[in-house]
Amino acid sequence: MLYFLDIFGTLIFAISGAFKASRRELDILGALVLATATGVGGGIIRDMVLGATPPAAFHDESYLFVCLAGGVTVIFIAPRIARRWNMVMAADALGLGVFSAIGAAKAAAYGLGPMGTIMMAALTAVGGGVIRDVLVCEVPAVIRTDFYATAAILGGATFVALHACGVGQSWLLFATTITATGLRLLAMRFHLRLPKVRRLDESAIPNERD
Amino acid sequence: MLYFLDIFGTLIFAISGAFKASRRELDILGALVLATATGVGGGIIRDMVLGATPPAAFHDESYLFVCLAGGVTVIFIAPRIARRWNMVMAADALGLGVFSAIGAAKAAAYGLGPMGTIMMAALTAVGGGVIRDVLVCEVPAVIRTDFYATAAILGGATFVALHACGVGQSWLLFATTITATGLRLLAMRFHLRLPKVRRLDESAIPNERD
Amino acid sequence: MLYFLDIFGTLIFAISGAFKASRRELDILGALVLATATGVGGGIIRDMVLGATPPAAFHDESYLFVCLAGGVTVIFIAPRIARRWNMVMAADALGLGVFSAIGAAKAAAYGLGPMGTIMMAALTAVGGGVIRDVLVCEVPAVIRTDFYATAAILGGATFVALHACGVGQSWLLFATTITATGLRLLAMRFHLRLPKVRRLDESAIPNERD
């Protein structure tokens, strides 16, 4: 069950990632690269950080095939998908929840503490999108006007709290997914955003650190 | 023989990488950093993904010395090299072929499947250039108008196909290098490019995913 | 003692990192991400390269807490810190020295050669700042107009030279810190910069490598 949700989340992430290619005049390899980076990038970085190498995405190549499928889909029928964008975004929220649950569980299995576990939940969920944005030279949305990474972070915090209470693995994964996905859907529905940092005048910091 | 080609490819990649510094008003450390990133960056990321740490470039420091040599060469005689740019690009195509062959062989040795092996061939060949482009805030050419990564990918596919047929290691490396280098030279000669992704209107995706 | 300097350096790096958020209209998550990336990013990449996974910052979560504390401080009292910017920069120079010393020592412990050890000293000290700059789409200052990474490199070279002479670990760490911090303070005082690479005309390189 979790495996199918994970594959489904990878597909949706790949599709939403490949869309950037149609906004930035990339070529078809660009679309496939962004699809793959967004689909499996977060999990690959997480596994590299944890030392779980080669990363899971290379053990079971279904993930890579699903990324290519997502990219090819966008190359051929992008306009048709765009017309159902709200459905893509709802599915994306589910992917976000599943990815944070898997990230948190893997981090805990590798002995990370509460902070590390929460960070790995967020990294799994948003890492792929951050790589995609860096590749097309955009400041990642998650650090500009976010309620995306925040949902993953609160999902990870739920995992840590319930884990400390001795809740079993399936319930942990379920509760983390529900929390992160639910918060993301609420944020989309009510246009929630984190507050901005107060802007500082250029002259306030005479010589910024290199 | 492969070792010397590898060193030679690293030198050429380092030289072509350092040239970016003279286009972007960087300082001499910038030139050395871009030379090193382009020369050994792809192999280092590949080894980090595979878990072959510390990466090969640190086991035999000749690679790092060759990168510095490439950077210093560009700092001192960039205009003289620029006049022979076609020769640099031809040598670069050879480096591309050698790097994909080595990348594919290492991935196969670490047990990766066909897709993973092809990805590692491409990552070894273009990873350094992508790091270089990200460092100077440019969208990597390989995702914009490529027939560079594509040559490495087809080289990697050749490796996988012949490997499945039971071809021996030396022939595998030879065939992969010839395929990737040959395709790259053909692409340069005939100005081959991958097709672009159809551009989507801004209004097509009302609220893009974060 | 080294542990407290390391924590102190992490705090200062986190504070100087979070300041970017107030210059680039990021939200509060952005400030925390930049604080964490700048504070522990260099050490995390170093550990991933060396294969020392999970990285040290996850073994002792004090580092992550200190990063968050630095980020929260900037969110609440950025203007007050900006007024004492010279003190922040002096403390930052101390962090630079400590980070290069720790990076060099860890690289040597993992069997890296002289070049690798120097690179790891520099990567530990500037890696976090480079990640921060890449996330906000700026060309990292260390490759534009540097005497920051250069101080870390010369600190690392000091480590390598004294290590070869058989100097003991505590003196090695002390000498590396003093060298890198001292050079950085001198560079700030006398506005030292590395020379720029000669600029090449666009037409000099007809078809740049992808």
Short mmCIF file of all heavy atoms in Angstrom, two decimals, chain B residues 7-56:
data_model
loop_
_atom_site.label_atom_id
_atom_site.label_comp_id
_atom_site.label_asym_id
_atom_site.label_seq_id
_atom_site.Cartn_x
_atom_site.Cartn_y
_atom_site.Cartn_z
N ILE B 7 42.74 11.10 -17.28
CA ILE B 7 43.50 12.30 -16.87
C ILE B 7 43.38 13.38 -17.95
O ILE B 7 43.16 14.56 -17.65
CB ILE B 7 44.99 11.93 -16.63
CG1 ILE B 7 45.13 11.09 -15.35
CG2 ILE B 7 45.86 13.18 -16.58
CD1 ILE B 7 45.11 11.88 -14.08
N PHE B 8 43.51 12.97 -19.20
CA PHE B 8 43.42 13.91 -20.32
C PHE B 8 42.03 14.55 -20.35
O PHE B 8 41.91 15.78 -20.49
CB PHE B 8 43.71 13.17 -21.63
CG PHE B 8 43.55 14.03 -22.85
CD1 PHE B 8 44.51 14.99 -23.17
CD2 PHE B 8 42.45 13.88 -23.68
CE1 PHE B 8 44.35 15.79 -24.30
CE2 PHE B 8 42.29 14.68 -24.81
CZ PHE B 8 43.25 15.64 -25.12
N GLY B 9 40.99 13.74 -20.21
CA GLY B 9 39.63 14.27 -20.19
C GLY B 9 39.43 15.26 -19.04
O GLY B 9 38.80 16.31 -19.21
N THR B 10 39.98 14.93 -17.87
CA THR B 10 39.88 15.83 -16.72
C THR B 10 40.52 17.17 -17.02
O THR B 10 39.96 18.23 -16.70
CB THR B 10 40.55 15.19 -15.48
OG1 THR B 10 39.96 13.90 -15.25
CG2 THR B 10 40.38 16.05 -14.26
N LEU B 11 41.70 17.14 -17.67
CA LEU B 11 42.40 18.38 -18.02
C LEU B 11 41.55 19.24 -18.97
O LEU B 11 41.39 20.44 -18.75
CB LEU B 11 43.75 18.05 -18.67
CG LEU B 11 44.56 19.27 -19.14
CD1 LEU B 11 44.98 20.13 -17.97
CD2 LEU B 11 45.78 18.83 -19.95
N ILE B 12 41.00 18.59 -19.99
CA ILE B 12 40.21 19.34 -20.97
C ILE B 12 38.95 19.91 -20.32
O ILE B 12 38.59 21.07 -20.55
CB ILE B 12 39.84 18.43 -22.17
CG1 ILE B 12 41.10 18.00 -22.92
CG2 ILE B 12 38.86 19.13 -23.10
CD1 ILE B 12 41.81 19.16 -23.60
N PHE B 13 38.29 19.10 -19.52
CA PHE B 13 37.09 19.59 -18.82
C PHE B 13 37.46 20.78 -17.92
O PHE B 13 36.73 21.76 -17.85
CB PHE B 13 36.47 18.47 -17.97
CG PHE B 13 35.49 17.61 -18.71
CD1 PHE B 13 35.76 17.16 -20.00
CD2 PHE B 13 34.30 17.23 -18.13
CE1 PHE B 13 34.85 16.36 -20.69
CE2 PHE B 13 33.38 16.43 -18.80
CZ PHE B 13 33.66 16.00 -20.08
N ALA B 14 38.60 20.67 -17.21
CA ALA B 14 39.02 21.74 -16.32
C ALA B 14 39.27 23.02 -17.12
O ALA B 14 38.86 24.12 -16.71
CB ALA B 14 40.29 21.33 -15.56
N ILE B 15 39.91 22.88 -18.29
CA ILE B 15 40.18 24.06 -19.13
C ILE B 15 38.87 24.69 -19.60
O ILE B 15 38.66 25.90 -19.45
CB ILE B 15 41.07 23.68 -20.34
CG1 ILE B 15 42.50 23.41 -19.86
CG2 ILE B 15 41.04 24.76 -21.41
CD1 ILE B 15 43.43 22.90 -20.94
N SER B 16 37.97 23.85 -20.12
CA SER B 16 36.72 24.43 -20.63
C SER B 16 35.90 25.01 -19.48
O SER B 16 35.18 26.00 -19.65
CB SER B 16 35.92 23.40 -21.44
OG SER B 16 35.19 22.55 -20.61
N GLY B 17 36.02 24.42 -18.29
CA GLY B 17 35.30 24.95 -17.12
C GLY B 17 35.85 26.31 -16.70
O GLY B 17 35.09 27.23 -16.41
N ALA B 18 37.18 26.42 -16.68
CA ALA B 18 37.80 27.66 -16.21
C ALA B 18 37.47 28.83 -17.13
O ALA B 18 37.48 29.99 -16.70
CB ALA B 18 39.31 27.47 -16.09
N PHE B 19 37.18 28.53 -18.40
CA PHE B 19 36.85 29.60 -19.33
C PHE B 19 35.63 30.41 -18.88
O PHE B 19 35.53 31.60 -19.17
CB PHE B 19 36.61 29.05 -20.74
CG PHE B 19 37.81 29.22 -21.62
CD1 PHE B 19 38.76 28.23 -21.72
CD2 PHE B 19 37.99 30.41 -22.31
CE1 PHE B 19 39.88 28.41 -22.52
CE2 PHE B 19 39.10 30.60 -23.11
CZ PHE B 19 40.06 29.59 -23.22
N LYS B 20 34.71 29.75 -18.21
CA LYS B 20 33.53 30.46 -17.71
C LYS B 20 33.95 31.63 -16.82
O LYS B 20 33.30 32.67 -16.80
CB LYS B 20 32.65 29.54 -16.87
CG LYS B 20 31.56 28.83 -17.62
CD LYS B 20 30.29 29.65 -17.70
CE LYS B 20 29.11 28.82 -18.13
NZ LYS B 20 28.98 28.71 -19.57
N ALA B 21 35.05 31.43 -16.08
CA ALA B 21 35.50 32.47 -15.16
C ALA B 21 35.88 33.74 -15.91
O ALA B 21 35.71 34.85 -15.40
CB ALA B 21 36.68 31.96 -14.32
N SER B 22 36.40 33.58 -17.14
CA SER B 22 36.83 34.75 -17.89
C SER B 22 35.64 35.42 -18.58
O SER B 22 35.77 36.50 -19.13
CB SER B 22 37.90 34.38 -18.91
OG SER B 22 37.34 33.56 -19.91
N ARG B 23 34.49 34.75 -18.56
CA ARG B 23 33.28 35.35 -19.13
C ARG B 23 32.45 36.02 -18.06
O ARG B 23 31.53 36.75 -18.38
CB ARG B 23 32.42 34.25 -19.78
CG ARG B 23 33.11 33.46 -20.82
CD ARG B 23 33.28 34.26 -22.09
NE ARG B 23 32.02 34.47 -22.73
CZ ARG B 23 31.47 33.63 -23.61
NH1 ARG B 23 32.11 32.56 -23.97
NH2 ARG B 23 30.33 33.89 -24.14
N ARG B 24 32.72 35.71 -16.79
CA ARG B 24 31.83 36.16 -15.73
C ARG B 24 32.53 37.02 -14.69
O ARG B 24 32.03 37.19 -13.58
CB ARG B 24 31.23 34.93 -15.02
CG ARG B 24 30.53 33.95 -15.95
CD ARG B 24 29.18 34.45 -16.35
NE ARG B 24 28.44 34.82 -15.17
CZ ARG B 24 27.15 34.62 -15.02
NH1 ARG B 24 26.46 34.03 -15.97
NH2 ARG B 24 26.54 35.02 -13.94
N GLU B 25 33.71 37.54 -15.03
CA GLU B 25 34.44 38.43 -14.12
C GLU B 25 34.69 37.82 -12.75
O GLU B 25 34.52 38.48 -11.73
CB GLU B 25 33.68 39.75 -13.94
CG GLU B 25 33.27 40.36 -15.26
CD GLU B 25 33.17 41.88 -15.18
OE1 GLU B 25 34.00 42.48 -14.46
OE2 GLU B 25 32.31 42.45 -15.83
N LEU B 26 35.07 36.56 -12.73
CA LEU B 26 35.41 35.94 -11.44
C LEU B 26 36.87 36.24 -11.14
O LEU B 26 37.62 36.74 -11.98
CB LEU B 26 35.18 34.43 -11.51
CG LEU B 26 33.78 33.99 -11.91
CD1 LEU B 26 33.64 32.49 -11.81
CD2 LEU B 26 32.72 34.68 -11.06
N ASP B 27 37.29 35.92 -9.90
CA ASP B 27 38.70 36.10 -9.57
C ASP B 27 39.44 34.77 -9.80
O ASP B 27 38.85 33.80 -10.27
CB ASP B 27 38.87 36.62 -8.14
CG ASP B 27 38.37 35.65 -7.09
OD1 ASP B 27 38.15 34.46 -7.41
OD2 ASP B 27 38.18 36.07 -5.95
N ILE B 28 40.75 34.76 -9.52
CA ILE B 28 41.53 33.57 -9.89
C ILE B 28 41.11 32.34 -9.08
O ILE B 28 41.15 31.22 -9.58
CB ILE B 28 43.06 33.80 -9.77
CG1 ILE B 28 43.44 34.25 -8.36
CG2 ILE B 28 43.52 34.83 -10.80
CD1 ILE B 28 44.94 34.35 -8.18
N LEU B 29 40.66 32.54 -7.83
CA LEU B 29 40.13 31.39 -7.10
C LEU B 29 38.90 30.85 -7.82
O LEU B 29 38.72 29.63 -7.93
CB LEU B 29 39.77 31.76 -5.65
CG LEU B 29 39.20 30.58 -4.87
CD1 LEU B 29 40.29 29.56 -4.56
CD2 LEU B 29 38.53 31.03 -3.58
N GLY B 30 38.06 31.75 -8.32
CA GLY B 30 36.87 31.33 -9.07
C GLY B 30 37.26 30.46 -10.26
O GLY B 30 36.61 29.45 -10.53
N ALA B 31 38.32 30.85 -10.96
CA ALA B 31 38.77 30.05 -12.12
C ALA B 31 39.21 28.66 -11.67
O ALA B 31 38.88 27.65 -12.31
CB ALA B 31 39.91 30.77 -12.84
N LEU B 32 39.93 28.59 -10.54
CA LEU B 32 40.40 27.29 -10.06
C LEU B 32 39.23 26.44 -9.56
O LEU B 32 39.19 25.22 -9.79
CB LEU B 32 41.43 27.48 -8.94
CG LEU B 32 42.69 28.25 -9.34
CD1 LEU B 32 43.65 28.40 -8.16
CD2 LEU B 32 43.41 27.57 -10.51
N VAL B 33 38.27 27.08 -8.91
CA VAL B 33 37.10 26.34 -8.42
C VAL B 33 36.29 25.78 -9.60
O VAL B 33 35.91 24.60 -9.60
CB VAL B 33 36.20 27.25 -7.53
CG1 VAL B 33 34.85 26.61 -7.28
CG2 VAL B 33 36.90 27.55 -6.21
N LEU B 34 36.04 26.62 -10.62
CA LEU B 34 35.27 26.13 -11.76
C LEU B 34 36.04 25.04 -12.51
O LEU B 34 35.44 24.08 -13.00
CB LEU B 34 34.93 27.28 -12.71
CG LEU B 34 33.97 28.36 -12.18
CD1 LEU B 34 33.49 29.24 -13.33
CD2 LEU B 34 32.79 27.76 -11.45
N ALA B 35 37.37 25.19 -12.61
CA ALA B 35 38.18 24.15 -13.26
C ALA B 35 38.03 22.83 -12.51
O ALA B 35 37.79 21.77 -13.11
CB ALA B 35 39.65 24.59 -13.31
N THR B 36 38.15 22.88 -11.20
CA THR B 36 38.07 21.66 -10.40
C THR B 36 36.66 21.07 -10.42
O THR B 36 36.49 19.86 -10.59
CB THR B 36 38.49 21.96 -8.94
OG1 THR B 36 39.77 22.60 -8.96
CG2 THR B 36 38.58 20.69 -8.13
N ALA B 37 35.65 21.94 -10.29
CA ALA B 37 34.27 21.46 -10.30
C ALA B 37 33.96 20.77 -11.62
O ALA B 37 33.37 19.69 -11.65
CB ALA B 37 33.30 22.63 -10.07
N THR B 38 34.37 21.38 -12.74
CA THR B 38 34.08 20.79 -14.04
C THR B 38 34.91 19.54 -14.28
O THR B 38 34.43 18.57 -14.87
CB THR B 38 34.34 21.83 -15.16
OG1 THR B 38 33.81 23.09 -14.77
CG2 THR B 38 33.73 21.39 -16.47
N GLY B 39 36.16 19.56 -13.82
CA GLY B 39 37.05 18.43 -14.08
C GLY B 39 36.70 17.18 -13.29
O GLY B 39 36.65 16.08 -13.84
N VAL B 40 36.46 17.33 -11.99
CA VAL B 40 36.23 16.14 -11.17
C VAL B 40 34.85 16.11 -10.51
O VAL B 40 34.49 15.11 -9.86
CB VAL B 40 37.31 15.97 -10.07
CG1 VAL B 40 38.67 15.70 -10.70
CG2 VAL B 40 37.37 17.19 -9.16
N GLY B 41 34.04 17.17 -10.70
CA GLY B 41 32.73 17.25 -10.03
C GLY B 41 31.80 16.10 -10.37
O GLY B 41 31.13 15.54 -9.50
N GLY B 42 31.73 15.73 -11.67
CA GLY B 42 30.83 14.65 -12.07
C GLY B 42 31.19 13.34 -11.41
O GLY B 42 30.33 12.62 -10.89
N GLY B 43 32.48 13.01 -11.40
CA GLY B 43 32.93 11.77 -10.78
C GLY B 43 32.72 11.76 -9.28
O GLY B 43 32.40 10.72 -8.69
N ILE B 44 32.89 12.93 -8.65
CA ILE B 44 32.73 12.99 -7.21
C ILE B 44 31.27 12.75 -6.83
O ILE B 44 30.96 11.97 -5.92
CB ILE B 44 33.25 14.35 -6.65
CG1 ILE B 44 34.78 14.37 -6.70
CG2 ILE B 44 32.75 14.59 -5.23
CD1 ILE B 44 35.42 15.68 -6.28
N ILE B 45 30.34 13.40 -7.55
CA ILE B 45 28.91 13.18 -7.25
C ILE B 45 28.55 11.72 -7.50
O ILE B 45 27.84 11.10 -6.70
CB ILE B 45 28.01 14.08 -8.12
CG1 ILE B 45 28.30 15.53 -7.82
CG2 ILE B 45 26.55 13.78 -7.81
CD1 ILE B 45 27.26 16.44 -8.44
N ARG B 46 29.02 11.16 -8.63
CA ARG B 46 28.73 9.75 -8.92
C ARG B 46 29.19 8.87 -7.76
O ARG B 46 28.43 8.01 -7.29
CB ARG B 46 29.49 9.32 -10.20
CG ARG B 46 29.35 7.85 -10.54
CD ARG B 46 30.52 7.42 -11.42
NE ARG B 46 31.78 7.61 -10.71
CZ ARG B 46 32.93 7.90 -11.30
NH1 ARG B 46 33.00 8.04 -12.60
NH2 ARG B 46 34.04 8.05 -10.57
N ASP B 47 30.42 9.10 -7.27
CA ASP B 47 30.93 8.26 -6.18
C ASP B 47 30.14 8.47 -4.89
O ASP B 47 29.94 7.53 -4.12
CB ASP B 47 32.42 8.53 -5.97
CG ASP B 47 33.26 7.95 -7.11
OD1 ASP B 47 32.71 7.19 -7.94
OD2 ASP B 47 34.46 8.24 -7.18
N MET B 48 29.68 9.72 -4.65
CA MET B 48 28.87 9.97 -3.46
C MET B 48 27.53 9.24 -3.57
O MET B 48 27.04 8.68 -2.60
CB MET B 48 28.65 11.47 -3.27
CG MET B 48 29.90 12.22 -2.80
SD MET B 48 29.72 14.03 -2.88
CE MET B 48 28.54 14.30 -1.55
N VAL B 49 26.94 9.25 -4.76
CA VAL B 49 25.66 8.54 -4.95
C VAL B 49 25.85 7.04 -4.76
O VAL B 49 25.05 6.37 -4.09
CB VAL B 49 25.08 8.84 -6.35
CG1 VAL B 49 23.91 7.91 -6.66
CG2 VAL B 49 24.63 10.29 -6.46
N LEU B 50 26.95 6.51 -5.33
CA LEU B 50 27.18 5.07 -5.24
C LEU B 50 27.62 4.63 -3.85
O LEU B 50 27.56 3.45 -3.51
CB LEU B 50 28.23 4.64 -6.26
CG LEU B 50 27.85 4.77 -7.74
CD1 LEU B 50 29.03 4.39 -8.63
CD2 LEU B 50 26.64 3.89 -8.07
N GLY B 51 28.08 5.60 -3.04
CA GLY B 51 28.63 5.24 -1.73
C GLY B 51 30.09 4.82 -1.82
O GLY B 51 30.61 4.19 -0.90
N ALA B 52 30.76 5.17 -2.91
CA ALA B 52 32.19 4.87 -3.08
C ALA B 52 33.01 6.02 -2.51
O ALA B 52 33.69 6.74 -3.25
CB ALA B 52 32.50 4.64 -4.55
N THR B 53 32.93 6.20 -1.19
CA THR B 53 33.57 7.35 -0.56
C THR B 53 34.80 6.94 0.23
O THR B 53 34.84 5.83 0.75
CB THR B 53 32.58 8.06 0.39
OG1 THR B 53 31.97 7.07 1.22
CG2 THR B 53 31.53 8.80 -0.40
N PRO B 54 35.82 7.82 0.39
CA PRO B 54 35.98 9.08 -0.34
C PRO B 54 36.10 8.83 -1.84
O PRO B 54 36.65 7.79 -2.23
CB PRO B 54 37.27 9.66 0.21
CG PRO B 54 37.56 8.94 1.48
CD PRO B 54 36.91 7.62 1.35
N PRO B 55 35.59 9.76 -2.68
CA PRO B 55 35.58 9.58 -4.13
C PRO B 55 36.97 9.35 -4.72
O PRO B 55 37.98 9.75 -4.14
CB PRO B 55 35.00 10.91 -4.63
CG PRO B 55 34.20 11.43 -3.49
CD PRO B 55 34.96 11.02 -2.27
N ALA B 56 36.98 8.71 -5.89
CA ALA B 56 38.22 8.34 -6.56
C ALA B 56 39.18 9.52 -6.72
O ALA B 56 40.40 9.35 -6.61
CB ALA B 56 37.90 7.73 -7.93
#
